[in-house]
């Protein structure tokens, strides 16, 4: 039963959210930011269960269109979606109760995009937005919420609400730091989606699913490589600007294996053989960055 559940929710794909979570925790520790573990664990629970929910919804909807066989009967599969959604919603609302309106609004937007990614009259997955949406929510929103709930009030923004006015002030330096930090998880997450859509291009066209590679053609391979190179540029910039210490540059050595995988994918784009290279590159880059940052934390404490 557990194996069927893991298959239905594609538990292996949860590396995207989990790695981004760990990378951000390492960054907060290096910044000597106090971590409120209660709120952080509530966020992780909400994030993880909603990640399971969106995958389950995706597989449930796709099984209607492409004859995919589910691990459970349709009624049981739908019940699992409701239970996962309920758990993630409860965790999200509790986190909003512990924090403020910013977390509530941000979490609500995540839920909307997660549900309508594959559900509705015009699912996001059938549009040339999948790479941007997945990269943004996994690569930017997860770090933002984690940093926001563990930072002093007013670090990223301040707001005011009344019956007469709504005011919002965004603090530029913390926001720029977040953007620079988020480039890597954004890029490697988007590339998993991009690789998937490149490999499925002909099949997607047959079912009138027009993803990004449909519109940009062979340039999709250039984008695939460019996003990986952007992650290394962002790491160098973070060291130059003092966001991370020089020891973090050790993560740059992963480019040797990443470049090898880029060349292999350029030669053949096939779901059964080369798609996994995007996942391997994700693990190499995110794993290398995470280890480098935690090494920086250890050295900073000595």
């Amino acid at each position: 039963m557990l194996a069927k559940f893991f298959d239905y929710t594609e538990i292996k794909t949860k590396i995207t959210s989990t790695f981004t979570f760990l990378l951000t925790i390492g960054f907060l520790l290096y910044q000597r930011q106090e971590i409120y573990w209660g709120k952080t664990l509530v966020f992780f629970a909400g994030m993880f269960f909603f990640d399971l929910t969106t995958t389950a919804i995706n597989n449930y909807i796709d099984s209607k269109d492409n004859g995919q066989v589910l691990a459970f009967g349709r009624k049981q599969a739908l019940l699992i979606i409701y239970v996962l959604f309920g758990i993630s919603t409860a965790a999200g609302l509790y986190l909003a109760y512990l924090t403020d309106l910013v977390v509530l609004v941000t979490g609500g937007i995540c839920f909307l995009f997660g549900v309508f990614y594959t559900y509705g009259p015009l699912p996001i997955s059938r549009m040339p937005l999948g790479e941007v949406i997945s990269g943004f929510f996994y690569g930017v929103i997860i770090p933002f919420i984690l940093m926001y709930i563990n930072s002093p009030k007013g670090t990223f923004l301040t707001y005011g609400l009344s019956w007469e006015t709504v005011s919002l002030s965004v603090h530029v330096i913390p926001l720029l730091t977040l953007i620079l930090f988020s480039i890597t998880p954004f890029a490697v997450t988007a590339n998993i989606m991009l690789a998937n859509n490149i490999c499925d291009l002909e099949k997607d066209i047959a079912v009138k699913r027009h993803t990004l590679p449909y519109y940009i053609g062979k340039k999709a391979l250039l984008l695939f490589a460019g996003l990986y190179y952007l992650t290394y540029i962002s790491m160098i910039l973070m060291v130059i600007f003092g966001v991370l210490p020089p020891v973090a540059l050790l993560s740059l050595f992963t480019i040797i294996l990443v470049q090898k995988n880029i060349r292999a994918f350029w030669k053949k784009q096939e779901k059964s053989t080369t798609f996994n290279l995007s996942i391997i590159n994700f693990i190499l880059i995110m794993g290398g960055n995470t280890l480098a940052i935690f090494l920086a934390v250890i050295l900073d404490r000595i």
Side-chain angles (χ1 to χ4, degrees):
M1 178 67 75
L2 194 59
K4 293 168 79 174
F5 174 77
F6 287 160
D7 178 60
Y8 180 42
T9 57
E10 297 180 20
I11 194 74
K12 293 179 181 179
T13 65
K14 305 314 157 208
I15 61 169
T16 50
S17 55
T18 304
F19 255 120
T20 304
F21 178 88
L22 291 174
L23 183 71
T24 310
I25 290 295
F27 180 75
L28 289 170
L29 289 171
Y30 176 72
Q31 295 291 321
R32 292 189 175 272
Q33 181 64 56
E34 181 180 0
I35 297 178
Y36 301 97
W37 289 107
K39 291 188 290 186
T40 298
L41 292 176
V42 170
F43 168 71
F44 179 82
M47 173 199 76
F48 190 78
F49 277 98
F50 189 65
D51 200 359
L52 295 176
T53 304
T54 55
T55 302
I57 292 173
N58 184 51
N59 286 332
Y60 184 84
I61 298 297
D62 282 352
S63 67
K64 286 184 177 181
D65 301 329
N66 59 18
Q68 175 182 334
V69 179
L70 295 174
F72 300 94
R74 297 200 67 79
K75 287 185 178 180
Q76 193 175 10
L78 188 59
L79 177 61
I80 290 172
I81 290 174
Y82 287 143
V83 171
L84 292 174
F85 186 79
I87 294 172
S88 58
T89 301
L93 290 174
Y94 183 53
L95 181 63
Y97 169 76
L98 294 174
T99 52
D100 60 19
L101 187 62
V102 172
V103 173
L104 178 64
V105 172
T106 306
I109 294 172
C110 291
F111 273 64
L112 284 175
F113 274 87
V115 170
F116 290 106
Y117 183 78
T118 51
Y119 182 75
L122 189 60
I124 295 170
S125 63
R126 291 182 175 269
M127 302 165 63
L129 298 172
E131 289 82 0
V132 174
I133 296 298
S134 60
F136 179 74
F137 282 98
Y138 282 94
V140 180
I141 296 300
I142 288 176
F144 169 70
I145 295 178
L146 257 179
M147 292 180 188
Y148 184 84
I149 65 177
N150 286 295
S151 299
K153 192 174 180 63
T155 297
F156 286 93
L157 54 87
T158 54
Y159 66 91
L161 294 173
S162 70
W163 291 108
E164 292 82 18
T165 60
V166 176
S167 62
L168 176 66
S169 297
V170 177
H171 302 164
V172 175
I173 298 302
L175 185 62
L176 289 177
T177 301
L178 169 68
I179 292 172
L180 194 57
F181 174 83
S182 297
I183 286 174
T184 292
F186 174 94
V188 293
T189 302
N191 257 355
I192 292 177
M193 178 65 67
L194 181 61
N196 181 71
N197 288 336
I198 291 172
C199 292
D200 286 345
L201 182 58
E202 292 184 7
K203 185 174 70 175
D204 286 343
I205 292 174
V207 296
K208 297 181 179 180
R209 182 180 179 182
H210 298 152
T211 57
L212 184 61
Y214 172 83
Y215 291 97
I216 65 175
K218 291 295 183 181
K219 291 179 181 177
L221 291 175
L222 291 173
L223 178 61
F224 180 78
L227 285 172
Y228 286 132
Y229 300 146
L230 189 60
T231 67
Y232 295 101
I233 293 172
S234 70
M235 177 59 78
I236 293 170
L237 289 176
M238 280 193 285
V239 171
I240 290 174
F241 291 121
V243 178
L244 289 174
V247 69
L249 294 177
L250 288 172
S251 63
L252 299 182
F253 285 105
T254 59
I255 197 172
I256 299 171
L257 294 175
V258 169
Q259 181 60 36
K260 179 182 177 182
N261 291 336
I262 291 172
R263 290 198 188 99
F265 189 78
W266 269 52
K267 290 179 181 177
K268 181 192 291 187
Q269 302 89 50
E270 190 176 70
K271 195 68 171 285
S272 60
T273 58
T274 57
F275 164 71
N276 280 343
L277 294 174
S278 65
I279 298 176
I280 294 171
N281 279 355
F282 179 98
I283 295 171
L284 285 170
I285 294 173
M286 290 291 284
N289 284 13
T290 302
L291 289 174
I293 290 177
F294 273 98
L295 176 61
V297 171
I298 294 170
L299 294 177
D300 188 54
R301 300 295 193 272
I302 295 177

